[in-house]
Amino acid sequence: MTSAERLWRVLVRLFPAETRREYGEEMLRLVRDLERDARRASPLAHAAFLARLVADAVVSAPGEHARRRRRRRSELGTPSPSMREDRMDTLRADVRYALRAMARQPAFAIVAVLTLALGIGANTAIFSLINTALLRPLPVERPEQLVSLNNVSLNLPAISYPNYRDFRDRNNSFSGMMVYRYTPFALSVNGVNERVWGYLVTGNYFEVLGVKPALGRFFTPDDDRSPGAHPIAALAYDCWQKRFAGDPQVIGKNVIVNGRNFTIIGVAPQGFYGSEIGY
Amino acid sequence: MSRRDPDPSSLLPLTPAVTHILLALATGDAHGYAIAKEVEELTEGQIRMGPGTLYGSIGRMIDAGLIEESPRRPRSGDDERRRYYRATLLGRRALERELRRLERVVAVARARRVLGRPEPA
């Protein structure tokens, strides 16, 4: 077999199967004839002929595919293709080409798929975090009506209690104003000491948020009236489950927070973790 | 010709490849290699048809009804397995109209002095 014949046997695969069946032999015969002429001319002409052969196949094969598609359609009696069908054809051809390319280089395909998998996985994880922290609204009655007010002059999210009282009592803009502080506590339950994060809140905290207790009651503005008189605490649902085994008799029991006795008065509903997002 | 004949003018302008293949077949039936050589000669080597271009054009021209496979085989010891092609009536008409069109283009070019006198053969 001559070099041109060998080359053509590879190149002919670019053409549709119907074309190969119909003209394969004729094409090969023409390659032989043209190669013979080129060889007779000069070695350079032969090399140029081989290069032309590659160009010829690459340039004419797509047209052959299009022609065969048109012919198949007209044989089936389907109407001439619309633009959309044409695009679908291109898409199908692209997908087939991609699959063939992947099959030819499986190592590359595996690396590409793994890279994509890791990339998509990482993005999903980050999105879950952002969704929890930033996008999902707080599980309160009217989250869209919540406004956070901060003291800008101090550059700290802090306000004194008397100042807060003045704001609250002279407020005409909001249905309620509460303050809280997210802070770590030393919690002692049944002799087990733990450092936990919790909220120091005003008596109207749950009322302003519109959150109803899962068990017992929450604070009321009345609880604010006499400082230090009756220290009370509400538990997060998960804390109640984990540290008190979901015991309904927990109401009225004492826990030690920062070395002081607090009476448990209620349990927050499941899924409510306070007014800070992302915790 | 069994197929419904479209108006030859509707096929104009013909591509250079189609025009030259029809020209090559104007003198009689020919097989692929003969067509390719004839076209190369007619165009002074400007159009060299490889197998893909030639048989792609042949396929398209058969679809369009411009040429058809010829049942005849020359007796002169030629390879009997070669397929011969010939121009149909539609093909001959289309070629004629295409050449008339080109003739008019050339006439206009001469009238506007874009093109000079014909080169001596």
Side-chain angles (χ1 to χ4, degrees):
Chain A
M1 205 190 299
T2 66
S3 49
E5 276 178 67
R6 272 201 302 275
L7 179 63
W8 186 255
R9 279 181 200 279
V10 177
L11 291 172
V12 82
R13 293 176 187 278
L14 292 171
F15 291 86
E18 298 104 305
T19 304
R20 278 181 274 156
R21 269 198 300 276
E22 206 172 330
Y23 295 116
E25 265 185 59
E26 291 285 293
M27 283 173 156
L28 196 61
R29 197 169 288 129
L30 180 63
V31 168
R32 258 183 234 133
D33 290 339
L34 293 175
E35 189 187 24
R36 191 190 54 232
D37 294 349
R39 268 188 203 282
R40 273 184 202 153
S42 71
L44 197 65
H46 184 241
F49 167 69
L50 294 181
R52 272 206 308 279
L53 213 53
V54 176
D56 175 71
V58 171
V59 169
S60 57
E64 259 314 274
H65 281 280
R67 185 172 75 87
R68 294 291 169 177
R69 276 202 300 276
R70 278 198 302 274
R71 200 192 235 187
R72 277 199 294 273
R73 277 207 197 88
S74 68
E75 276 167 6
L76 287 169
T78 45
S80 67
S82 66
M83 194 101 103
R84 190 182 142 80
E85 282 171 329
D86 239 17
R87 279 200 205 118
M88 288 308 289
D89 268 1
T90 314
L91 185 68
R92 271 195 290 273
D94 284 351
V95 169
R96 276 199 302 269
Y97 176 73
L99 291 176
R100 278 202 305 274
M102 285 201 285
R104 270 201 301 274
Q105 294 184 313
F108 172 78
I110 288 168
V111 171
V113 168
L114 281 179
T115 309
L116 281 172
L118 283 175
I120 293 167
N123 271 301
T124 310
I126 290 168
F127 176 76
S128 309
L129 194 67
I130 289 175
N131 185 38
T132 314
L134 302 174
L135 303 178
R136 205 161 53 198
L138 281 175
V140 299
E141 203 172 36
R142 283 188 289 271
E144 74 284 354
Q145 290 184 3
L146 283 182
V147 175
S148 170
L149 299 177
N150 285 298
N151 191 337
V152 288
S153 61
L154 281 173
N155 205 20
L156 279 168
I159 187 170
S160 73
Y161 189 74
N163 262 349
Y164 154 68
R165 231 170 24 203
D166 289 346
F167 278 120
R168 180 193 66 196
D169 295 343
R170 292 166 198 182
N171 155 45
N172 293 317
S173 309
F174 303 104
S175 55
M177 288 174 97
M178 53 80 171
V179 288
Y180 66 86
R181 186 187 179 106
Y182 187 61
T183 183
F185 297 109
L187 177 70
S188 183
V189 179
N190 301 327
V192 180
N193 296 306
E194 277 180 281
R195 185 173 181 270
V196 296
W197 284 82
Y199 289 79
L200 287 169
V201 302
T202 52
N204 61 350
Y205 180 81
F206 290 104
E207 190 185 290
V208 170
L209 290 177
V211 177
K212 304 281 178 286
L215 196 68
R217 71 168 181 96
F218 278 153
F219 316 125
T220 65
D222 281 341
D223 293 320
D224 273 351
R225 297 207 197 284
S226 38
H230 55 291
I232 47 176
L235 298 175
Y237 190 90
D238 291 358
C239 176
W240 174 52
Q241 290 291 323
K242 188 178 157 194
R243 296 189 179 85
F244 300 91
D247 178 12
Q249 305 299 317
V250 75
I251 308 298
K253 279 193 179 169
N254 278 352
V255 283
I256 300 165
V257 177
N258 290 351
R260 292 192 63 181
N261 262 319
F262 279 72
T263 307
I264 298 169
I265 59 159
V267 175
Q270 198 170 7
F272 180 80
Y273 297 99
S275 38
E276 289 286 314
I277 46 179
Y279 295 100
Chain B
M1 273 167 45
S2 58
R3 64 178 79 214
R4 286 169 286 123
D5 277 356
D7 177 11
S9 302
S10 69
L11 301 166
L12 303 191
L14 302 179
T15 65
V18 169
T19 307
H20 285 103
I21 290 172
L22 285 173
L23 266 179
L25 293 174
T27 49
D29 304 3
H31 51 66
Y33 173 64
I35 296 172
K37 291 313 277 183
E38 177 81 4
V39 170
E40 192 178 332
E41 216 164 282
L42 284 172
T43 60
E44 293 169 342
Q46 280 184 339
I47 297 182
R48 285 179 173 175
M49 293 186 148
T53 317
L54 179 68
Y55 285 97
S57 301
I58 286 177
R60 272 194 298 278
M61 290 168 80
I62 290 177
D63 286 353
L66 292 170
I67 60 171
E68 61 192 355
E69 216 178 310
S70 163
R72 282 180 297 180
R73 293 282 179 275
R75 290 193 197 141
S76 58
D78 213 334
D79 188 349
E80 278 194 5
R81 285 173 303 171
R82 285 181 191 274
R83 277 145 75 173
Y84 283 72
Y85 301 94
R86 67 181 176 196
T88 60
L89 182 62
L90 177 69
R92 288 196 295 276
R93 282 182 180 158
L95 176 66
E96 195 190 330
R97 301 241 172 132
E98 173 68 7
L99 295 175
R100 295 252 176 259
R101 187 184 70 82
L102 292 172
E103 205 173 43
R104 282 195 297 278
V105 173
V106 172
V108 170
R110 285 200 204 293
R112 295 186 181 178
R113 299 188 186 282
V114 181
L115 191 69
R117 287 179 164 279
E119 289 172 10

